[in-house]
Amino acid sequence: MGSLFRSESMCLAQLFLQSGTAYECLSALGEKGLVQFRDLNQNVSSFQRKFVGEVKRCEELERILVYLVQEITRVDIPLPEGEASPPAPPLKQVLEMQEQLQKLEVELREVTKNKEKLRKNLLELIEYTHMLRVTKTFVRRNVEFEPTYEEFPALENDSLLDYSCMQRLGAKLGFVSGLIQQGKVEAFEKMLWRACKGYTIVTYAELDESLEDPETGEVIKWYVFLISFWGEQIGHKVKKICDCYHCHIYPYPNTAEERREIQEGLNTRIQDLYTVLHKTEDYLRQVLCKAAESVCSRVLQVKKMKAIYHMLNMCSFDVTNKCLIAEVWCPEADLPGLRRALEEGSSGATIPSFMNTIPTKEAPPTLIRTNRFTEGFQNIVDAYGVGSYREVNPALFTIITFPFLFAVMFGDFGHGFVMFLFALLLVLNENHPRLKQSQEILRMFFNGRYILLLMGLFSVYTGLIYNDCFSKSVNLFGSGWNISAMYSSSHSPEKQGKMVLWNDSIVRHSKTLQLDPSIPGVFRGPYPFGIDPIWNLATNRLTFLNSFKMKMSVILGIIHMTFGVILGIFNHLHFRKKFNIYLVSVPEILFMLCIFGYLIFMIIYKWLAYSAETSREAPSILIEFINMFLFPASETHGLYPGQAHVQRLLLALTVLAVPVLFLGKPLFLLWLHNGRSCFGVSRGGYTLVRKDSEEEVSLLGSQDIEEGNNRMEDGCREVTCEEFNFGEILMTQAIHSIEYCLGCISNTASYLRLWALSLAHAQLSDVLWAMLMRVGLRVDTTYGVLLLLPVMAFFVVLTIFILLIMEGLSAFLHAIRLHWVEFQNKFYVGAGTKFVPFSFSLLSSKFSNDDIA
Amino acid sequence: MLETAELYFNVDHGYLEGLVRGCKANLLTQQDYINLVQCETLEDLKIHLQTTDYGNFLANETSPLTVSKIDTEMRKKLCREFDYFRNHSLEPLSTFFTYMTCSYMIDNVVLLMNGALQKKSVKEVLAKCHPLGRFTEMEAVNIAETTSDLFNAVLVETPLAPFFQDCMSENTLDELNIELLRNKLYKSYLEAFYKFCKDHGDVTAEIMCPILEFEADRRALIITLNSFGTELSKEDRETLFPTCGKLYPEGLRLLAQAEDFDQMKRVADNYGIYKPLFEAVGSSRGKTLEDVFYEHEVQMNVLAFNRQFHYGVFYAYVKLKEQEMRNIVWIAECISQRHRTKINSYIPIL
């Protein structure tokens, strides 16, 4: 687990990629995902970079592929799961691929265009037949019911009137007929009325089947209309209005025979079109099927290619333009892998690509390798801040402390067990594909499945300690308390003198009875594991548990925080700042332990030193602790002899630790700064001379030239050494110290949330039991069974939603807070940047999310 | 309405206001313009625009890229945003949006009528219409022969109908009449919009009224400028001036009498706002009066974002976006015509 304790050591490496094989090298690197590239062309805008053309070509290919995928999914051809991850296409194949794809696109576009044309044609013909069918009834109706035909009195009452008769009479009656979308009918009619001043007759009927709109492809309702009008002028207007409303206009047959002929002709044409359309569709399907075979891997390949060119864009060219220089961060452990990848990539070339490491003062990115178990815990820590390079990583300890602190708040082994089972289910099915693509909330649970697992396990443990199972206690080993010993009959009369014992009348008449542990035989020793189940029956149960849980939270909190300070020592050792240990960490530990460590000591001492008999004269810890600071005039008899001296000594240590904490580090740094400058007088003088004398300057210049480019690049890269600023150091240290000293008190108080939440959880589950299950159990047996079922179901639902999910969430948040604020601020800086390797595996996952699914 | 927009504004319009402010933050910055100007080809321009809020809006265009393709796509994008705003708006903001579209509708109607006059096909002209001003009856505009025809048959049910009161006439629609119609429509539109904002009161009035006043005065000035040397009579000219501006009434009367640019300038010099604008014309970089007006408009629109709880932000955003589109089109034109000397005379949005 060494890798989890600190982030991997990184080094900056320069890769010299021969321009011929750079692409292959990067392809090999991308497959392995070993290195993070640094952008060497930050001030070059995106379209002026070297490989813009290639990136553009990739984008063109992507566009074609998106089109292909779109077409393939439209005809419901399943996209085959391509081979796991095809390598980036070799450069030679790229052109071929591009040609193929372009040809395919052209072909596809043509076929679809033809198909669309045919469909449109077909649709028009279908519309036409519909129109003919519907309008057949119109004319007759017009004639029968509309009074506008008064101009032709002879025809008025002729019920057999047909349009052909009208024609014979020579009236300039014109017809426009067609189809219009349902939504536009009303506006259309109004417009016709207004524009033609009522000289038109519009008849329309709704078409009983919905047809596709040829422009948008939507299936909508249509109306068939027939407009009759007189005169050329109005006819033009009507046609224009029809155009404006995107009506589909079809010629209106003049005679019945004509109508029949047209209809017949239409039917045959529709038949023909259907066959042609089928053939086209079959062909299209064939083409698409063929394309579908390779499209998945093509998409991946193009993505990879694009990624490679993006990385190449980050490289700079060397003077001779023959090789590309890339700067990468690489974990030291992976350097052999990197070399191998480079060799692989440049195997065909005459000059191999190579690398060398270069020293740098810049902070490298942080890489902490995780597996699926540690990943969740690392995420909790990273959410606070990615660790600085090589700093102690709290995630390692979080694996245990986080579920533990959670469980202290969530202690109930029934609930814990349910949580454990749920997590176990997730863990056992973790390879199930549906879980991996699940929705947001379930995904959250899935990603934290190992955390949940441990949280459940630890809750079972603390639940056993608290002896709580759905708020009920379990009597596993038999209680340590014996009630029969309280009866007067069980004791010999001479012993009974001082003791308050029970007899029948007391038992019968008093509502509550108190067991007295000081009577021999009543308390037979502690319960072997956890809290004695008899407390569940006691009225003073809360008082007892509160005292226990409160003390426990303080003890756990102080241990947790002290551990944090100790981890700080590891950091100081690693970063070679030993003085920090003596001037910061040690006073911090002293401050903490002398006050709060002593508090723990008192708590434990009191537990051990006083028994049931002597409990009445035991002093209060609170008063003792306050007295430690107040030096009361009247001596109380404390916990142990010599207590006052010990306390004074501890207090003195605490008081001494504070100024050391405040001033130690700044003064030491000042001394170091001054001392060093005294020590190196000659060197200081040398720099002075160098500044003044021109010769030196020129010398310096020539030196620079000799060292060449490399040095200059380094120069820009080097972080400028900070000026020594005593005031600033003093201020930061003072702030840090004040924060620490106050934090010791407030953070300790903060750990009391462990007590508060566990109390709340226990009480809530108790209430749930009392309000539901007890009611259900009280009803007499005949009906009780019927009632118990819904009560049980309700109880389960409430338990899951309130006690498990809601309470679990709140305990989770508080546990996170205890880690982030109380624990990590003792040692964790968290100012690093994450190591993001150039890796194809990150690409492909992204693809499957957006494009296909 | 009470003068306490702070209390209830966010209930109805808070979401949209937040959205529009977000959109405004995505306008191109000075740095973006500097980069755009450096582009060698339209492809470069496309690549650079991809890094901005425009994103992949040109991704599905087949090459070769042309300026008009860029323009249409940008318009489509603006239209999508505007439709989103409009579809999510409540009264009276939705009326405000309707007013905003009216100006585009007027332009479209006039465009279509001109097209019909020149016997162009409707489809061809439609493509040039601004998508924000689209409405269904639009395509039937060419059946009308006179203004009253136009009103009675086509536009009576559109939001444009109320603006027709002043310009009903039986004159046939020739080029001059159409231009007159446009200006009269615009005049009544601006006055109605101004009244709407004024009646709405509150911050909206405080922000929108100056913007609309400026718009009105700008139109008056431009009309005057364009009417020099045409057959438009001075009385007719005066009837075209929108009366909701700062120039009303005295300035407009003087403008109606103006006979050349110098006289116009003398009128403008009486007004504190317009004096510096007229002084800027021609003095530096050969700016035209229009450029100066655009710059001033941009400034007013940007300032509109300094106040909260008012509708002016929506107006300002659309105007700023339009200006941005004009800038991009200008730069694109300069690039495609290899006419780089003038590429820098876009109007920066600060």
Side-chain angles (χ1 to χ4, degrees):
Chain A
M1 290 307 262
S3 64
L4 202 58
F5 183 58
R6 286 185 197 290
S7 58
E8 297 257 330
S9 59
M10 289 277 167
C11 58
L12 187 66
Q14 249 179 343
L15 308 182
F16 294 88
L17 306 162
Q18 305 306 320
S19 41
T21 58
Y23 178 85
E24 284 81 4
C25 285
L26 257 73
S27 165
L29 283 178
E31 293 294 343
K32 295 201 165 146
L34 298 176
V35 293
Q36 174 180 354
F37 280 80
R38 288 164 39 122
D39 195 351
L40 298 180
N41 305 325
Q42 256 163 353
N43 39 13
V44 182
S45 59
S46 56
F47 54 84
Q48 285 168 336
R49 298 198 174 188
K50 184 75 184 171
F51 294 95
V52 170
E54 281 81 353
V55 172
K56 260 189 220 165
R57 188 202 290 164
C58 292
E59 271 168 6
E60 171 72 11
L61 289 178
E62 266 181 350
R63 188 186 62 74
I64 297 175
L65 283 168
V66 165
Y67 172 71
L68 280 181
V69 170
Q70 202 182 326
E71 289 297 316
I72 290 171
T73 43
R74 191 187 286 172
V75 292
D76 285 332
I77 296 175
L79 283 172
E81 293 291 317
E83 52 187 300
S85 175
L91 280 175
K92 289 170 217 153
Q93 278 183 24
V94 173
L95 271 178
E96 198 183 320
M97 187 164 115
Q98 192 180 7
E99 254 170 49
Q100 265 180 17
L101 281 176
Q102 273 166 349
K103 224 157 76 189
L104 197 61
E105 193 208 2
V106 169
E107 191 181 348
L108 210 59
R109 280 203 194 272
E110 201 147 313
V111 175
T112 32
K113 208 170 85 189
N114 279 339
K115 197 187 97 180
E116 285 306 312
K117 223 191 246 166
L118 285 174
R119 280 182 61 84
K120 219 170 175 174
N121 230 324
L122 183 65
L123 207 66
E124 273 172 13
L125 293 180
I126 291 172
E127 279 178 2
Y128 197 5
T129 49
H130 279 302
M131 191 213 84
L132 285 178
R133 185 169 52 77
V134 176
T135 48
K136 208 171 173 179
T137 54
F138 278 2
V139 176
R140 204 167 279 265
R141 247 181 35 209
N142 274 351
V143 175
E144 276 168 4
F145 303 110
E146 298 288 341
T148 26
Y149 286 83
E150 278 170 13
E151 292 170 48
F152 312 97
L155 304 168
E156 195 177 18
N157 297 319
D158 191 349
S159 60
L160 289 171
L161 179 86
D162 202 329
Y163 176 73
S164 50
C165 310
M166 312 247 314
Q167 195 70 11
R168 245 183 291 130
L169 282 167
K172 280 182 193 165
L173 192 59
F175 288 104
V176 173
S177 58
L179 277 85
I180 185 169
Q181 287 175 24
Q182 191 182 25
K184 291 180 177 171
V185 172
E186 205 179 327
F188 176 63
E189 199 186 0
K190 274 188 192 162
M191 170 83 98
L192 269 179
W193 172 260
R194 284 195 306 262
C196 309
K197 307 196 170 75
Y199 290 122
T200 52
I201 298 159
V202 188
T203 329
Y204 49 86
E206 194 179 337
L207 206 59
D208 36 8
E209 48 193 301
S210 310
L211 292 174
E212 211 173 291
D213 184 354
E215 269 151 42
T216 58
E218 266 179 277
V219 175
I220 39 174
K221 278 268 177 197
W222 293 84
Y223 271 75
V224 173
F225 65 85
L226 175 71
I227 306 166
S228 5
F229 56 87
W230 282 273
E232 289 285 302
Q233 285 290 352
I234 292 181
H236 282 302
K237 260 191 194 173
V238 168
K239 274 188 190 123
K240 270 184 187 167
I241 292 171
C242 288
D243 278 345
C244 148
Y245 281 92
H246 301 281
C247 305
H248 301 162
I249 293 173
Y250 301 101
Y252 187 77
N254 288 328
T255 60
E257 293 93 72
E258 201 179 328
R259 181 193 295 273
R260 207 175 322 116
E261 268 168 35
I262 290 176
Q263 212 144 22
E264 274 163 17
L266 279 179
N267 282 340
T268 50
R269 273 178 69 195
I270 286 175
Q271 287 295 331
D272 291 352
L273 268 179
Y274 264 125
T275 47
V276 175
L277 197 64
H278 273 303
K279 284 223 171 105
T280 322
E281 266 171 4
D282 280 347
Y283 177 66
L284 187 70
R285 220 183 149 73
Q286 266 175 19
V287 172
L288 284 177
C289 273
K290 219 171 74 192
E293 280 166 22
S294 60
V295 77
C296 254
S297 54
R298 285 275 163 80
V299 168
L300 276 180
Q301 282 183 318
V302 171
K303 286 233 171 207
K304 284 183 177 179
M305 195 159 82
K306 197 175 164 190
I308 289 174
Y309 283 121
H310 270 301
M311 288 302 141
L312 285 177
N313 268 338
M314 288 185 172
C315 304
S316 65
F317 270 89
D318 78 339
V319 202
T320 56
N321 239 355
K322 274 188 183 154
C323 82
L324 283 161
I325 302 170
E327 279 186 18
V328 296
W329 290 113
C330 179
E332 267 168 20
D334 285 340
L335 281 177
L338 175 61
R339 285 211 179 84
R340 220 172 311 123
L342 284 182
E343 275 166 27
E344 256 172 53
S346 56
S347 52
T350 44
I351 322 159
S353 300
F354 58 99
M355 53 153 293
N356 58 358
T357 54
I358 41 178
T360 177
K361 280 190 178 160
E362 236 177 284
T366 310
L367 167 69
I368 295 165
R369 289 181 208 268
T370 54
N371 49 31
R372 57 189 173 194
F373 176 70
T374 51
E375 195 185 4
F377 296 99
Q378 187 64 49
N379 281 344
I380 290 181
V381 171
D382 283 351
Y384 173 81
V386 176
S388 306
Y389 178 62
R390 299 292 282 162
E391 150 176 70
V392 169
N393 178 19
L396 178 62
F397 312 103
T398 306
I399 294 175
I400 295 303
T401 55
F402 184 82
F404 180 69
L405 288 187
F406 171 84
V408 168
M409 292 182 268
F410 197 71
D412 185 312
F413 76 81
H415 298 157
F417 193 62
V418 174
M419 184 179 272
F420 171 73
L421 282 185
F422 174 67
L424 197 65
L425 206 70
L426 288 180
V427 169
L428 290 180
N429 293 322
E430 67 186 353
N431 291 326
H432 199 282
R434 250 182 63 202
L435 274 174
K436 280 184 182 161
Q437 292 166 2
S438 48
Q439 291 305 304
E440 217 173 324
I441 291 179
L442 191 62
R443 193 189 199 79
M444 213 165 63
F445 283 121
F446 180 70
N447 288 339
R449 59 197 183 278
Y450 286 102
I451 304 177
L452 278 179
L453 190 76
L454 283 190
M455 288 191 325
L457 267 185
F458 276 83
S459 299
V460 171
Y461 170 72
T462 50
L464 285 172
I465 294 280
Y466 295 159
N467 211 340
D468 261 345
C469 173
F470 299 114
S471 84
K472 297 282 115 184
S473 292
V474 183
N475 193 354
L476 287 176
F477 307 103
S479 172
W481 296 73
N482 184 8
I483 297 174
S484 58
M486 284 300 288
Y487 280 92
S488 44
S489 54
S490 60
H491 292 274
S492 54
E494 65 269 21
K495 280 186 190 166
Q496 290 177 9
K498 289 178 279 178
M499 298 186 272
V500 189
L501 293 175
W502 301 349
N503 51 36
D504 283 348
S505 67
I506 294 180
V507 170
R508 207 164 285 144
H509 292 109
S510 47
K511 265 194 168 166
T512 54
L513 288 166
Q514 202 172 5
L515 292 169
D516 188 352
S518 57
I519 294 169
V522 170
F523 184 62
R524 292 181 306 202
Y527 191 68
F529 187 76
I531 305 277
D532 198 314
I534 201 170
W535 285 105
N536 206 24
L537 306 170
T539 47
N540 60 348
R541 171 175 182 241
L542 267 187
T543 332
F544 169 73
L545 280 182
N546 279 351
S547 148
F548 160 68
K549 284 180 178 170
M550 179 170 66
K551 283 166 185 162
M552 179 192 66
S553 354
V554 170
I555 293 172
L556 290 178
I558 288 165
I559 292 173
H560 198 207
M561 287 192 294
T562 316
F563 182 56
V565 179
I566 290 170
L567 285 181
I569 296 181
F570 283 96
N571 269 343
H572 298 320
L573 279 177
H574 181 265
F575 293 119
R576 310 200 178 208
K577 288 181 178 166
K578 264 198 184 138
F579 62 90
N580 265 346
I581 300 176
Y582 304 118
L583 299 173
V584 180
S585 294
V586 169
E588 277 180 352
I589 290 180
L590 273 181
F591 185 85
M592 171 92 81
L593 288 184
C594 287
I595 300 179
F596 297 101
Y598 181 64
L599 179 66
I600 295 184
F601 165 75
M602 280 200 292
I603 292 171
I604 293 175
Y605 182 82
K606 192 181 160 185
W607 277 341
L608 295 177
Y610 294 90
S611 65
E613 288 81 22
T614 53
S615 65
R616 298 208 179 274
E617 61 252 26
S620 152
I621 290 178
L622 184 67
I623 303 292
E624 291 297 316
F625 193 54
I626 292 173
N627 282 348
M628 180 174 166
F629 300 97
L630 293 184
F631 310 114
S634 61
E635 274 296 312
T636 49
H637 64 101
L639 289 161
Y640 55 93
Q643 187 186 0
H645 300 292
V646 172
Q647 287 182 349
R648 269 183 208 153
L649 178 69
L650 290 176
L651 205 59
L653 276 177
T654 314
V655 171
L656 279 178
V658 173
V660 175
L661 200 52
F662 266 85
L663 298 172
K665 185 178 168 188
L667 287 179
F668 178 77
L669 285 177
L670 185 69
W671 174 78
L672 213 62
H673 180 72
N674 291 340
R676 202 167 270 172
S677 64
C678 292
F679 185 70
V681 178
S682 55
R683 232 176 52 185
Y686 174 65
T687 50
L688 215 75
V689 167
R690 209 158 68 156
K691 257 181 203 164
D692 286 357
S693 96
E694 275 178 66
E695 284 172 24
E696 286 288 342
V697 172
S698 65
L699 203 82
L700 200 74
S702 64
Q703 237 176 2
D704 267 355
I705 292 162
E706 275 166 22
E707 283 193 29
N709 278 346
N710 216 356
R711 161 90 188 246
M712 263 162 60
E713 275 172 26
D714 282 0
C716 333
R717 193 183 306 134
E718 228 98 285
V719 184
T720 46
C721 215
E722 267 180 62
E723 286 280 302
F724 182 79
N725 188 343
F726 181 68
E728 206 178 295
I729 293 175
L730 192 66
M731 279 307 293
T732 26
Q733 186 58 26
I735 290 169
H736 175 79
S737 309
I738 293 172
E739 196 189 317
Y740 180 81
C741 293
L742 294 181
C744 272
I745 298 162
S746 66
N747 290 352
T748 308
S750 185
Y751 274 96
L752 289 179
R753 72 187 67 232
L754 292 176
W755 162 43
L757 266 102
S758 89
L759 179 72
H761 185 78
Q763 287 300 302
L764 207 62
S765 45
D766 197 36
V767 165
L768 197 67
W769 181 275
M771 302 285 271
L772 274 174
M773 283 308 270
R774 198 172 294 164
V775 175
L777 289 170
R778 271 204 190 140
V779 183
D780 74 299
T781 45
T782 41
Y783 305 111
V785 178
L786 291 177
L787 185 66
L788 212 53
L789 210 66
V791 165
M792 193 71 181
F794 201 45
F795 178 76
V796 167
V797 169
L798 285 188
T799 300
I800 288 177
F801 281 98
I802 297 183
L803 293 178
L804 282 175
I805 296 185
M806 256 177 60
E807 278 278 295
L809 203 63
S810 95
F812 185 88
L813 290 180
H814 282 281
I816 282 188
R817 187 225 137 94
L818 286 179
H819 277 86
W820 283 354
V821 180
E822 271 78 28
F823 177 54
Q824 291 183 5
N825 80 354
K826 300 287 183 290
F827 66 98
Y828 189 59
V829 181
T833 49
K834 210 162 185 157
F835 176 74
V836 189
F838 165 58
S839 165
F840 290 148
S841 55
L842 299 175
L843 278 179
S844 50
S845 65
K846 226 190 252 168
F847 160 74
S848 57
N849 281 344
D850 324 328
D851 293 344
I852 288 187
Chain B
M1 208 168 260
L2 293 171
E3 297 278 311
T4 48
E6 298 83 11
L7 288 180
Y8 53 80
F9 185 89
N10 278 345
V11 176
D12 290 343
H13 318 299
Y15 167 61
L16 289 182
E17 195 189 356
L19 214 58
V20 83
R21 280 175 192 275
C23 288
K24 189 247 174 183
N26 282 328
L27 291 175
L28 296 187
T29 60
Q30 197 60 44
Q31 187 58 44
D32 288 324
Y33 282 116
I34 290 172
N35 285 334
L36 285 180
V37 167
Q38 288 170 353
C39 293
E40 295 287 335
T41 63
L42 290 184
E43 287 291 326
D44 289 350
L45 192 84
K46 172 180 158 185
I47 288 177
H48 186 79
L49 284 179
Q50 270 174 7
T51 63
T52 67
D53 189 45
Y54 284 101
N56 273 338
F57 77 119
L58 291 172
N60 289 330
E61 291 294 321
T62 45
S63 46
L65 206 56
T66 61
V67 180
S68 66
K69 269 186 196 166
I70 296 178
D71 192 30
T72 3
E73 286 299 319
M74 284 195 298
R75 277 185 181 185
K76 268 191 204 158
K77 189 170 178 294
L78 172 65
C79 205
R80 270 201 302 278
E81 285 171 356
F82 186 82
D83 283 343
Y84 187 86
F85 288 139
R86 200 170 172 178
N87 294 342
H88 287 78
S89 63
L90 294 170
E91 285 295 343
L93 182 57
S94 32
T95 316
F96 185 85
F97 280 135
T98 312
Y99 271 113
M100 276 169 66
T101 53
C102 279
S103 65
Y104 301 101
M105 285 162 76
I106 294 174
D107 284 343
N108 283 351
V109 167
V110 170
L111 195 65
L112 278 165
M113 287 194 299
N114 273 329
L117 216 63
Q118 287 156 20
K119 306 271 182 273
K120 282 184 187 162
S121 81
V122 183
K123 278 227 173 83
E124 194 183 327
V125 187
L126 266 184
K128 285 184 192 159
C129 286
H130 200 288
L132 278 184
R134 253 172 215 283
F135 56 107
T136 31
E137 292 91 342
M138 195 163 83
E139 292 163 52
V141 159
N142 54 358
I143 61 167
E145 251 133 51
T146 64
T147 356
S148 43
D149 243 13
L150 186 68
F151 172 74
N152 287 329
V154 185
L155 298 175
V156 72
E157 286 200 341
T158 62
L160 292 183
F163 311 139
F164 265 86
Q165 282 161 351
D166 298 338
C167 42
M168 299 291 263
S169 69
E170 293 297 328
N171 295 341
T172 46
L173 290 168
D174 56 10
E175 214 158 308
L176 182 66
N177 278 333
I178 290 173
E179 202 50 39
L180 286 181
L181 176 72
R182 179 221 291 270
N183 285 318
K184 278 181 183 167
L185 278 178
Y186 222 99
K187 167 187 152 85
S188 21
Y189 156 69
L190 270 181
E191 284 163 7
F193 196 10
Y194 185 77
K195 189 166 174 300
F196 172 81
C197 293
K198 197 99 189 158
D199 289 346
H200 185 274
D202 226 339
V203 193
T204 303
E206 283 168 43
I207 296 294
M208 279 310 290
C209 287
I211 291 179
L212 291 175
E213 277 163 12
F214 173 72
E215 182 69 26
D217 291 340
R218 172 166 78 172
R219 283 201 78 82
L221 291 167
I222 298 284
I223 288 169
T224 316
L225 191 64
N226 289 342
S227 66
F228 295 146
T230 59
E231 56 211 272
L232 193 69
S233 72
K234 284 176 180 170
E235 293 74 42
D236 278 352
R237 193 199 294 171
E238 198 171 0
T239 57
L240 298 181
F241 293 154
T243 56
C244 54
K246 288 225 161 44
L247 293 177
Y248 180 77
E250 201 52 33
L252 291 184
R253 203 176 51 74
L254 290 173
L255 266 189
Q257 302 306 317
E259 269 160 11
D260 54 23
F261 186 77
D262 283 332
Q263 287 184 19
M264 197 168 109
K265 193 173 170 185
R266 228 169 290 141
V267 178
D269 281 351
N270 297 330
Y271 293 86
I273 323 171
Y274 304 113
K275 190 165 189 242
L277 296 185
F278 273 81
E279 274 163 6
V281 177
S283 62
S284 61
R285 291 205 293 149
K287 277 184 202 164
T288 62
L289 188 60
E290 240 170 299
D291 288 344
V292 176
F293 280 146
Y294 276 139
E295 268 173 29
H296 187 72
E297 191 192 2
V298 164
Q299 211 178 351
M300 290 178 88
N301 287 332
V302 170
L303 288 179
F305 280 88
N306 289 356
R307 303 274 307 261
Q308 220 188 331
F309 309 122
H310 65 99
Y311 304 152
V313 280
F314 300 102
Y315 184 85
Y317 171 67
V318 172
K319 291 286 164 193
L320 287 178
K321 195 80 187 172
E322 279 213 307
Q323 186 58 51
E324 181 183 293
M325 280 154 47
R326 275 197 291 269
N327 289 342
I328 292 175
V329 168
W330 173 262
I331 292 171
E333 282 288 356
C334 287
I335 290 170
S336 68
Q337 293 175 10
R338 314 224 159 272
H339 195 74
R340 304 191 68 90
T341 43
K342 284 201 154 188
I343 199 165
N344 277 318
S345 43
Y346 58 87
I347 289 148
I349 295 166
L350 303 170

